[in-house]
């Protein structure tokens, strides 16, 4: 809970439950976050574009793996560049705080659309960006230090309801805490897997590389990583430990950036954690900067509070309550499925499970029909290397691919083709074994949220969350 | 790898300091040579200096011998020079199997494997190329018209008897053109090999042994990828899977065996190639036969093992290699004959090789943390 902000006197005495809702807080942290977040998205888009990934990930593939229920999201061919341009441009507008509401809706829709095209590119931090931009749609992040506020005195406010800021903070806390909770399992803590595999790959780094030859080092990294994720929400929330917490954030994410190919994620998190700093902290920076760039005093100290009408406010509180209930429950949906989560991946995505598995697989598909025709599929003919790699370890993608093959071969000389897969998957240092029942005709199976009974059960147990 | 910046350097130094301070003397962690090594530099140096470079030197001796015999044949095509050329071709083709798997660096850049050993060779294509001596031998379309398989046809397949084969070069109006084509393709082999060997000597050895990272495009990453790909595509599919029909539609294609026109060497080629893959895995010195730092010792150093049986991954892989060797050993010298008369034995080799492919492609690469991808991932 914020301690540095004194609650404004409330005009009407409200019932107890509205006390939190009526507290106000400086607009500065959310405004700074808006600027930083917009710039990070913009940089991400530029980086993605300049690496040629739009072409290789969204234009070159012949087939895509849409998410269940989102099959209507289709790749747009050459127009994919347009949607990236829209996203990048909107992100810049968000940073500037110009036409903010339209811009943030633009970021949310374009970014989410891109991420829904193909499961093989799923990353937790993309989901994070989508969810944060969804939250920001409803928040007055443009009420302060924005072009919109500069142009509209009515909008300009250096205070806003506290829940507006705290909802973003709370969401970031969920992310860290759940990521930590997911590490409380026997593979991570008892076997130091998968870090035991990943760290020795960096034993040639200058200065710290030699450490990765010691068998105890992955254990230290695993335990520290787990404790870090679990404790960071509290360290950042508490004023007394905030600076230490932020230093930990910078150290931890810089280290992961150095060791693992995770792109923008560490930097986005380092920037995101800034939202925990207090209004006073930012006010001091602004007070220092604004005379130098000669911003009018009334723009910096408008002495007004952003107000929502009570109906809007109650509506939003309702939406946010549902949203957070969803966020808190969604990662636990795996409990509804039998079998080992890491093996079946039923309920694995959208749950802040990061860096938990070294999983590699190999699949060979056989297509046959009742006339006795049969062939072994060359996966390269249909999938990109990334798609093949992702598909090989994830049952729902294996099924989608089987249906791609079914469609293709029913148009290419096979009469109601049957599709079988010979799969082999290794998880966290265990010797590989078949993932999918080789006798199941996957052409005959349709995807659903039901348990996939054609996954061969895992022959080991990973205890924990 | 993300490029280091100042912030990261500071973080690294801080962390190193902290952990170093906490780690005491670390004396309990002296590397035990029996347990293998996690020192990739040692692995790369051994593979370069004791396996790859000497293997190319060994091969060059055989290829040079073949070139001399081919010169003799070209200047005086008769039964003596033909027989000598043919034998030198068999020797070189066999020795080639010991270097074909090094599809990395210079070999990868020159695509030497594609120019040397794509079969079945195109008879119609060879005849076209003989007719047109200006045709470019450096394009993809020319792969199956040169190298060892083309020589196989030209030395063993242009007639049913030696007399007929000699007549192909002597009595016909086109004889000189045909001899000239042999010269063209053997010269091309000479040029390619010279380039590969020189590249290894001049710059690539240095690059190979100093870039010890495992990221995309690193020597170790390319080496492992190339090794596994070679095992899967050239050993499993090329030599057994495709001829036996185990790969496609069950269509048996005996004529797609390696060394189709010579017939009786296909098993010897496959045996040699497979043994080369096994020896490379175990880091065998190409001259002395002694083992050194290798994929095997690296896996042992990483402690890769089956948690159920406690067997090390390298033991499991070597055991599977042995099973494959045994399955190859029982074949007839001509895999063509075997496919025609006892195809099940050939399919069995394929099946056992398939198990080895999985161990290499999934278990070994996962244990080594060698990624086959080109974009970011967050590890899940």
């Amino acid at each position: 809970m914020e301690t540095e902000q004194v609650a404004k006197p409330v005009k009407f005495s409200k019932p107890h439950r509205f006390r939190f809702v009526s507290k106000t807080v400086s607009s500065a942290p959310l405004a700074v976050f808006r600027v930083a977040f917009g710039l990070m998205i913009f940089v991400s888009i530029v980086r993605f574009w300049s690496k040629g990934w739009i072409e290789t990930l969204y234009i070159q593939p012949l087939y895509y793996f849409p998410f269940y229920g989102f099959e209507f999201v289709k790749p747009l061919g050459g127009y994919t560049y347009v949607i990236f341009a829209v996203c990048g441009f909107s992100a810049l507008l968000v940073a500037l705080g110009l036409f903010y509401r339209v811009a943030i809706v633009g970021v949310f829709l374009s970014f989410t659309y891109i991420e829904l095209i193909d499961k093989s590119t799923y990353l937790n931090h993309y989901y994070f960006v989508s969810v944060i931009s969804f939250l920001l749609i409803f928040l007055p992040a443009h009420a302060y230090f924005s072009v919109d506020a500069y142009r509209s005195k009515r909008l300009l406010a250096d205070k806003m309801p506290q829940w507006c800021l705290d909802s973003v903070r709370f969401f970031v806390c969920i992310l860290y805490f759940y990521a930590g909770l997911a590490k409380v399992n026997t593979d991570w803590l008892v076997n130091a897997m998968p870090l035991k595999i990943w760290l020795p790959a960096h034993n040639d780094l200058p200065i710290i590389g030699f450490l990765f030859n010691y068998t105890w080092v992955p254990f230290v990294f695993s335990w520290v990583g787990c404790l870090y994720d679990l404790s960071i929400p509290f360290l950042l929330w508490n004023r007394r430990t905030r600076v230490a917490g932020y230093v930990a954030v910078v150290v931890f994410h810089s280290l992961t950036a150095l060791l693992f190919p995770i792109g923008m994620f560490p930097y986005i998190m380092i920037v995101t954690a800034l939202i925990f700093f207090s209004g006073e902290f930012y006010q001091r920076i602004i007070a220092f900067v604004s005379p130098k760039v000669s911003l009018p005093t009334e723009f910096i100290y408008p002495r007004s509070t952003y107000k929502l009408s009570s109906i809007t406010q109650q509506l939003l509180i309702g939406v946010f309550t549902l949203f957070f209930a969803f966020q808190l429950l969604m990662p636990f949906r795996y409990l509804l499925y039998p079998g080992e989560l890491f093996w079946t991946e039923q309920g694995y995505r959208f749950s802040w499970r990061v860096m938990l598995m070294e999983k590699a697989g190999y699949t060979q598909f056989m297509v046959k029909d009742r006339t006795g025709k049969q062939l072994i599929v060359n996966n390269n003919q249909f999938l990109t290397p990334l798609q093949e790699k992702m598909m090989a370890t994830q049952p729902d993608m294996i099924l989608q691919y089987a249906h791609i093959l079914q469609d293709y071969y029913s148009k290419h000389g096979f009469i109601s083709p049957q599709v079988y897969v010979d799969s082999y998957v290794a998880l966290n240092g265990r010797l590989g074994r078949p993932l999918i029942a080789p006798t199941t005709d996957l052409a005959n199976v349709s995807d659903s949220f039901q348990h996939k009974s054609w996954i061969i059960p895992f022959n080991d147990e990973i205890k924990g969350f | 790898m993300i490029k280091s910046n100042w912030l990261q350097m500071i973080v690294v130094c801080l962390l190193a300091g902290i952990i170093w301070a906490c780690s005491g003397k670390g004396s309990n962690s002296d590397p035990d040579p029996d347990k293998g090594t996690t020192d990739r530099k040692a692995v790369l140096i051994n593979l370069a200096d004791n396996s790859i470079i000497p293997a190319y030197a060994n091969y060059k001796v055989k290829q040079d011998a073949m070139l001399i015999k081919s010169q003799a044949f070209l200047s005086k095509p008769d039964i003596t020079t033909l027989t000598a050329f043919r034998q030198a071709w068999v020797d070189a083709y066999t020795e080639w199997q010991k270097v074909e798997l090094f599809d990395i660096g210079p070999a990868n850049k020159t695509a030497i494997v594609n120019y040397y050993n794509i079969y079945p060779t195109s008879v119609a294509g060879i005849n076209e190329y003989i007719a047109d001596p200006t045709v470019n031998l450096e394009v993809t379309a020319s792969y199956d018209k040169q190298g060892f398989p083309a020589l196989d046809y030209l030395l063993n397949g242009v007639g049913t008897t030696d007399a007929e084969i000699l007549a192909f070069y002597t009595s016909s109006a086109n004889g000189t053109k045909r001899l000239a084509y042999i010269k063209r393709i053997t010269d091309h082999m000479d040029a390619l090999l010279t380039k590969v060997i020189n590249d290894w000597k001049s710059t690539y050895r240095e690059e190979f042994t100093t870039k010890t990272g495992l990221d995309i495009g690193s020597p170790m990453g390319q080496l492992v990828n190339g090794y596994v790909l070679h095992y899967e595509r050239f050993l499993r599919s090329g030599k057994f899977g495709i001829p036996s029909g185990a790969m496609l539609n069950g269509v048996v294609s005996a004529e797609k065996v390696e060394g189709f026109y010579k017939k009786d060497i296909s098993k010897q080629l496959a045996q040699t190639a497979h043994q080369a893959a096994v020896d490379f895995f175990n880091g065998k010195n190409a001259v002395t036969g002694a083992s050194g730092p290798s994929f095997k010792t690296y896996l042992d150093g990483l402690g890769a093992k089956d948690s159920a049986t406690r067997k090390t991954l390298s033991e499991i892989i070597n055991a599977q290699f042995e099973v494959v060797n045994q399955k190859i050993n029982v074949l007839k010298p001509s895999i063509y004959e075997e496919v025609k008369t006892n195809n099940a034995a050939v399919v069995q080799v394929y099946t056992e090789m398939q198990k080895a492919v999985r161990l290499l492609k999934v278990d070994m690469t996962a244990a080594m943390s060698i990624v086959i991808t080109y974009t970011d991932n967050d590890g899940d």
Side-chain angles (χ1 to χ4, degrees):
Chain A
M1 202 68 26
E2 280 298 291
T3 50
E4 65 273 14
Q5 292 303 326
V6 181
K8 281 237 159 179
V10 183
K11 266 186 200 163
F12 311 101
S13 100
K14 291 197 174 174
H16 176 76
R17 66 193 170 94
F18 283 118
R19 209 188 292 158
F20 169 73
V21 168
S22 59
K23 275 191 180 176
T24 62
V25 72
S26 161
S27 303
L30 195 60
V32 172
F33 177 72
R34 184 202 78 232
V35 174
F37 182 74
L39 290 177
M40 290 311 268
I41 305 302
F42 178 73
V43 170
S44 299
I45 296 288
V46 169
R47 172 174 178 268
F48 207 92
W49 195 312
S50 65
K51 290 196 173 223
W53 287 346
I54 301 177
E55 187 74 22
T56 54
L57 296 179
Y58 296 113
I59 296 177
Q60 278 172 1
L62 302 171
Y63 300 92
Y64 294 86
F65 292 85
F67 286 88
Y68 184 68
F70 289 90
E71 289 83 0
F72 61 89
V73 177
K74 298 269 184 241
L76 301 175
Y79 292 106
T80 310
Y81 281 102
V82 175
I83 199 166
F84 270 85
V86 167
C87 188
F89 183 65
S90 306
L92 266 191
L93 291 183
V94 166
L96 288 170
L98 178 60
F99 308 125
Y100 170 74
R101 296 281 184 197
V102 177
I104 189 66
V105 169
V107 168
F108 170 69
L109 290 180
S110 56
F111 197 92
T112 308
Y113 191 93
I114 293 164
E115 296 322 316
L116 288 176
I117 293 175
D118 193 356
K119 260 179 209 173
S120 4
T121 64
Y122 172 81
L123 294 183
N124 281 298
H125 88 262
Y126 292 152
Y127 176 52
F128 171 74
V129 168
S130 277
V131 174
I132 283 277
S133 38
F134 174 78
L135 272 180
L136 285 178
I137 290 174
F138 305 100
L139 298 177
H142 60 326
Y144 188 60
F145 219 66
S146 72
V147 178
D148 285 344
Y150 190 80
R151 303 199 308 178
S152 159
K153 285 275 169 305
R154 271 183 50 209
L155 175 65
L156 183 64
D158 56 356
K159 295 243 179 291
M160 61 171 67
Q162 181 163 355
W163 65 264
C164 293
L165 176 61
D166 282 355
S167 52
V168 177
R169 290 177 174 173
F170 184 51
F171 175 65
V172 175
C173 289
I174 292 179
L175 178 149
Y176 274 112
F177 194 76
Y178 274 52
L181 217 48
K183 291 181 174 70
V184 182
N185 71 66
T186 47
D187 266 18
W188 184 270
L189 295 176
V190 180
N191 301 322
M193 278 292 179
L195 290 181
K196 200 189 266 179
I197 292 176
W198 290 340
L199 292 181
H202 300 282
N203 62 9
D204 56 344
L205 275 182
I207 307 170
I208 58 169
F210 76 97
L211 283 170
F212 303 138
N213 290 322
Y214 293 93
T215 46
W216 53 265
V217 170
F219 286 92
V220 173
F221 273 63
S222 292
W223 281 78
V224 169
C226 179
L227 291 173
Y228 164 85
D229 279 340
L230 287 172
S231 59
I232 210 73
F234 304 100
L235 295 178
L236 287 175
W237 203 292
N238 191 321
R239 189 169 54 88
R240 296 221 321 260
T241 54
R242 190 171 296 143
V243 172
Y246 193 73
V247 170
V249 166
V250 173
V251 171
F252 181 85
H253 287 297
S254 301
L255 196 64
T256 59
L258 188 75
L259 292 176
F260 307 113
I262 47 183
M264 294 294 292
F265 180 64
Y267 308 107
I268 289 184
M269 292 317 291
I270 286 173
V271 165
T272 297
L274 288 171
I275 196 160
F276 287 92
F277 283 97
S278 68
E280 290 161 8
F281 174 82
Y282 289 111
Q283 223 87 55
R284 246 179 281 147
I285 295 176
I286 289 167
F288 177 77
V289 173
S290 50
K292 298 196 164 67
V293 291
S294 52
L295 284 166
T297 317
E298 60 275 20
F299 179 62
I300 302 302
Y301 306 105
R303 304 203 183 282
S304 68
T305 302
Y306 185 88
K307 288 193 188 68
L308 296 114
S309 73
S310 101
I311 288 182
T312 316
Q313 172 133 325
Q314 288 191 31
L315 210 66
L316 283 185
I317 303 259
V319 169
F320 276 40
T321 308
L322 282 178
F323 169 83
F324 282 111
F326 177 82
Q327 284 299 334
L328 290 170
L329 292 175
M330 181 80 166
F332 283 108
R333 72 190 186 283
Y334 78 93
L335 292 171
L336 301 173
Y337 295 102
E340 171 51 49
L341 170 65
F342 287 8
W343 184 248
T344 68
E345 298 201 32
Q346 298 183 120
Y348 191 85
R349 296 186 197 103
F350 310 109
S351 306
W352 316 120
R353 297 176 197 282
V354 201
M355 314 284 302
L356 293 175
M357 300 196 296
E358 166 60 45
K359 204 175 181 188
Y362 181 70
T363 51
Q364 193 167 273
F365 287 79
M366 183 188 273
V367 180
K368 45 173 131 179
D369 71 7
R370 53 190 149 81
T371 67
K373 235 178 167 176
Q374 69 170 60
L375 61 75
I376 286 173
V377 176
N378 174 8
N379 294 336
N380 293 336
Q381 191 191 329
F382 296 88
L383 306 179
T384 65
L386 175 76
Q387 288 176 322
E388 186 182 358
K389 174 178 176 279
M390 290 297 169
M391 179 275 297
T393 60
Q394 302 182 43
D396 59 338
M397 293 180 73
I398 289 177
L399 182 61
Q400 281 177 298
Y401 181 48
H403 288 176
I404 290 171
L405 295 174
Q406 180 193 9
D407 289 350
Y408 178 87
Y409 284 105
S410 59
K411 287 178 200 134
H412 289 80
F414 282 72
I415 301 155
S416 7
Q418 303 160 349
V419 182
Y420 298 91
V421 64
D422 177 17
S423 62
Y424 185 82
V425 173
L427 170 63
N428 281 353
R430 295 172 183 83
L431 205 62
R433 53 192 306 275
L435 174 66
I436 306 293
T439 51
T440 301
D441 172 14
L442 294 172
N444 228 346
V445 177
S446 42
D447 201 2
S448 72
F449 285 131
Q450 297 283 310
H451 169 58
K452 295 173 170 51
S453 56
W454 34 273
I455 301 174
I456 297 176
F458 194 47
N459 63 339
D460 201 347
E461 197 187 357
I462 304 169
K463 294 197 182 72
F465 286 97
Chain B
M1 180 59 55
I2 313 292
K3 266 183 231 134
S4 309
N5 57 29
W6 280 109
L7 180 67
Q8 285 169 0
M9 282 311 289
I10 293 164
V11 169
V12 164
C13 296
L14 267 175
L15 214 98
I18 294 164
I19 297 180
W20 179 242
C22 301
S23 69
K25 290 192 176 129
S27 57
N28 56 343
S29 302
D30 282 338
D32 176 354
D34 291 340
K35 277 184 159 176
T37 176
T38 53
D39 181 0
R40 287 190 293 281
K41 195 173 177 68
V43 172
L44 292 169
I45 288 176
N46 180 54
L47 293 180
D49 294 351
N50 298 325
S51 294
I52 299 174
I53 294 172
Y56 274 124
N58 289 348
Y59 170 65
K60 186 166 166 42
V61 172
K62 303 284 182 178
Q63 178 170 303
D64 286 349
M66 181 180 84
L67 293 177
I68 291 169
K69 301 294 180 193
S70 82
Q71 276 304 329
F73 176 73
L74 295 178
S75 48
K76 186 169 172 285
D78 61 23
I79 184 67
T80 319
T81 55
L82 174 65
T83 312
F85 185 11
R86 197 184 272 152
Q87 186 54 48
W89 167 81
V90 170
D91 294 346
Y93 203 176
T94 307
E95 196 71 20
W96 165 253
Q97 305 293 330
K98 301 180 188 173
V99 296
E100 190 183 80
L101 70 162
F102 308 138
D103 190 16
I104 172 163
N108 185 278
K109 212 165 68 188
T110 53
I112 190 168
V113 179
N114 294 331
Y115 291 111
Y116 263 57
N117 198 17
I118 295 295
Y119 56 90
T121 197
S122 162
V123 170
I126 290 173
N127 287 321
E128 269 174 47
Y129 279 29
I130 288 173
D132 179 7
T134 62
V135 74
N136 188 354
L137 288 183
E138 285 281 342
V139 293
T140 311
S142 71
Y143 286 166
D144 62 354
K145 295 158 190 99
Q146 55 183 312
F148 285 111
L151 288 173
D152 182 21
Y153 167 69
L154 292 166
L155 293 180
N156 306 300
V158 294
T160 44
T161 62
D162 285 351
E164 274 182 42
I165 292 170
L166 284 171
F168 184 76
Y169 296 103
T170 50
S171 52
S172 160
N174 290 322
T176 39
K177 274 192 163 181
R178 291 165 179 166
L179 290 172
Y181 190 64
I182 290 183
K183 173 136 178 59
R184 275 203 82 193
I185 60 176
T186 49
D187 281 354
H188 191 216
M189 290 171 84
D190 190 27
L192 285 167
L193 183 68
T194 305
K195 179 150 179 35
V196 169
I197 289 179
N198 286 347
D199 274 8
W200 264 102
K201 280 186 187 153
S202 62
T203 54
Y204 192 68
R205 188 211 167 266
E206 182 67 13
E207 184 183 336
F208 184 77
T209 53
T210 50
K211 289 189 183 165
T212 56
L214 285 175
D215 43 322
I216 315 302
S218 64
M220 184 87 171
Q222 285 184 342
L223 184 66
V224 170
N225 276 295
Y227 175 81
V228 176
L229 180 115
H230 181 265
Y231 195 96
E232 183 178 13
R233 189 175 295 168
F234 291 86
L235 296 186
R236 183 204 66 170
S237 304
K239 289 176 173 36
F240 299 98
I242 293 171
S244 69
M247 293 292 291
L248 188 72
N249 232 348
V251 176
V252 178
S253 317
E255 72 289 353
K256 291 184 178 167
V257 296
E258 193 175 25
F260 167 67
Y261 297 98
K262 183 75 173 80
K263 297 271 189 314
D264 59 358
I265 60 165
S266 43
K267 174 189 176 183
Q268 178 188 323
L269 297 178
Q271 253 174 337
T272 310
H274 192 262
Q275 192 55 47
V278 176
D279 289 346
F280 190 70
F281 176 82
N282 291 295
K284 267 215 178 138
N285 187 306
V287 181
T288 66
S291 301
S294 58
F295 293 170
K296 176 192 179 295
T297 61
Y298 186 60
L299 285 173
D300 292 347
L302 293 169
K305 58 164 84 78
D306 177 18
S307 51
T309 62
R310 311 307 293 168
K311 267 192 187 160
T312 65
L313 181 55
S314 68
E315 276 178 274
I316 295 169
I317 290 173
N318 271 321
Q320 187 57 34
F321 281 157
E322 190 44 42
V323 172
V324 174
N325 273 339
Q326 283 166 9
K327 295 285 179 192
I328 299 177
N329 288 345
V330 300
L331 299 179
K332 297 188 184 80
S334 163
I335 295 176
Y336 175 81
E337 284 302 315
E338 197 74 68
V339 169
K340 288 280 188 197
T341 58
N342 183 26
N343 194 28
V346 185
V347 173
Q348 273 185 32
V349 177
Y350 168 83
T351 309
E352 293 304 328
M353 281 189 144
Q354 173 68 0
K355 293 180 190 164
V357 166
R358 292 166 156 185
L359 288 167
L360 298 173
K361 198 173 184 180
V362 176
D363 297 295
M364 180 174 85
T365 56
M368 290 181 172
S369 190
I370 285 177
V371 192
I372 308 170
T373 181
Y374 54 89
T375 179
D376 290 340
N377 68 78
D378 63 3
D380 58 354

